[in-house]
Amino acid sequence: MVQPLRRAPTRADVARLSGVSTAVVSYVLNDGPKAVSPAAKDKVLAAVRALGYRPNAAARALSKGSADLIGMLVGDTRNPFSAQLSYSVDKAAGDLGRTLLVVNSENGVATQSEHIRELAARQISGLISMRRVSGEELDLLSSFRMPTVLVNQMSSTPGTTSVGVDYREGARRAVEHLLGHGYQGIAFAGVDDAGDGRERGWMDAVTAADQPLGERVETTYSLRGGYAAGMRLGADGVMPRAIFAASDQIGIGLLAALHERGFDVPGDVAVVSFDGIREAEYSWPPLTTAAQPLVQIAELAVNALLDWDDLPRSVVLPTELIIRRSCGCSWRGAPAL
């Protein structure tokens, strides 16, 4: 009877139990590069089962010359947008036989540079980052010669590819839709500290229509931030007729605050938001939103890592305006992305 080991079993343990060399164990587990007799293979696999041996992913990646792991840095995995994009990346990677390792890089324990070092130690084949990457972190990635795809953060840095949407244009089109309803004094709820262009798009549309900019309420990209914005809007006694929320989470929180204050949406106040998360379809009323093509972004990001020389260094995609009830349009159940 095989006695269970107190430590994790190693390849050497498998070799001892099966009566073969560690090289033969390696050939069996990696399906080559040398052929192994059926009898020896059966012994090795029996020892693996008996010991509960699990091959080390990083070591296996080194032996193959390439890794089957893709790393992904996400700011907050609780964020519905991050979760939905992570799911799409995981599916795209799985379809190509790769495994996705998601790291929440805003957990307050380790720095982002430390996360990058940890991922590099696992021999990942490349990194997808939804988090903003500093110049110092880009230098670190370059030192590891790690292909990197930046999502929604355009960069011309060598060794990186950028995949994302034109925030400014998407926001402009969303606000133009509100203007098409005849609304004036359109407000903005959000913050453009990342400089991604959502606020600029709001300004472009309103000024092009020869209208004064409506109220601007700065708030965080969260449900709580949207709720807080909704409670502050109209503090001067004049409630805006329409609001552009810089994200769906802001929009959903905004709707909760407006309902609590007794405003009808869209009868009293119309709302359009940005991102296209699934939850936007199930708010009340359902949100009209400038949706990001998350499946396409995910597929491009994964393919960029696996076919590094075949894609341009910067890919900018358009958003799609999904029409629902919050803007004042009639809606017939347009499907969520």
Side-chain angles (χ1 to χ4, degrees):
M1 179 177 179
V2 177
Q3 295 299 318
L5 297 169
R6 293 189 177 184
R7 55 176 171 76
T10 67
R11 186 168 299 187
D13 296 323
V14 174
R16 278 192 294 270
L17 183 59
S18 57
V20 301
S21 68
T22 54
V24 171
V25 173
S26 178
Y27 299 153
V28 171
L29 297 179
N30 293 311
D31 196 24
K34 293 185 178 181
V36 176
S37 70
K41 183 175 181 179
D42 288 344
K43 289 180 181 179
V44 169
L45 294 179
V48 166
R49 289 191 295 270
L51 294 170
Y53 173 70
R54 302 180 69 177
N56 180 277
R60 185 169 56 185
L62 282 171
S63 68
K64 289 182 177 180
S66 63
D68 61 0
L69 279 176
I70 292 174
M72 186 171 182
L73 290 176
V74 178
D76 185 351
T77 51
R78 297 169 301 179
N79 181 303
F81 179 82
S82 299
Q84 195 168 326
L85 182 56
S86 298
Y87 173 85
S88 296
V89 172
D90 185 45
K91 185 176 186 307
D95 288 345
L96 294 173
R98 301 298 175 111
T99 300
L100 183 68
L101 178 61
V102 178
V103 175
N104 189 337
S105 67
E106 200 171 51
N107 58 18
V109 176
T111 67
Q112 189 153 285
S113 291
E114 289 171 333
H115 286 309
I116 291 171
R117 290 189 178 92
E118 290 170 2
L119 288 169
R122 292 176 179 267
Q123 297 293 318
I124 61 173
S125 58
L127 176 70
I128 297 172
S129 180
M130 290 182 63
R131 292 278 292 159
R132 297 221 156 255
V133 180
S134 68
E136 181 180 342
E137 290 159 353
L138 285 171
D139 289 341
L140 181 61
L141 288 166
S142 178
S143 71
F144 289 129
R145 297 183 180 179
M146 186 186 298
T148 301
V149 176
L150 306 178
V151 175
N152 282 337
Q153 40 187 318
M154 295 302 109
S155 172
S156 58
T157 304
T160 66
T161 283
S162 302
V163 179
V165 299
D166 188 334
Y167 279 115
R168 185 169 179 175
E169 177 63 14
R172 184 188 65 79
R173 289 183 56 222
V175 176
E176 282 183 344
H177 182 77
L178 289 172
L179 291 165
H181 280 276
Y183 304 137
Q184 298 185 7
I186 298 173
F188 173 84
V191 61
D192 207 9
D193 58 346
D196 60 26
R198 298 182 224 207
E199 185 177 355
R200 288 297 310 175
W202 163 68
M203 296 172 67
D204 290 344
V206 173
T207 55
D210 292 324
Q211 289 193 22
L213 293 172
E215 185 178 356
R216 179 187 182 279
V217 177
E218 184 168 319
T219 194
T220 58
Y221 283 77
S222 64
L223 295 171
R224 181 175 295 181
Y227 179 83
M231 298 304 287
R232 297 202 306 270
L233 277 163
D236 58 359
V238 180
M239 194 66 181
R241 182 63 187 86
I243 305 164
F244 171 58
S247 77
D248 290 339
Q249 283 206 92
I250 292 175
I252 293 170
L254 190 67
L255 291 177
L258 293 175
H259 291 319
E260 186 173 317
R261 294 175 64 185
F263 290 103
D264 177 73
V265 179
D268 299 321
V269 184
V271 178
V272 166
S273 57
F274 199 106
D275 278 338
I277 62 174
R278 293 181 184 277
E279 288 80 355
E281 184 180 1
Y282 298 97
S283 62
W284 187 255
L287 276 167
T288 292
T289 179
Q292 300 194 47
L294 298 186
V295 172
Q296 190 177 3
I297 290 173
E299 291 175 348
L300 282 168
V302 172
N303 279 292
L305 293 180
L306 303 185
D307 299 301
W308 192 246
D309 296 325
D310 294 339
L311 288 176
R313 294 283 77 92
S314 181
V315 181
V316 181
L317 302 169
T319 58
E320 178 186 1
L321 191 64
I322 304 295
I323 304 298
R324 300 193 179 107
R325 289 181 183 152
S326 66
C327 62
C329 288
S330 60
W331 178 68
R332 298 187 178 183
L337 296 180

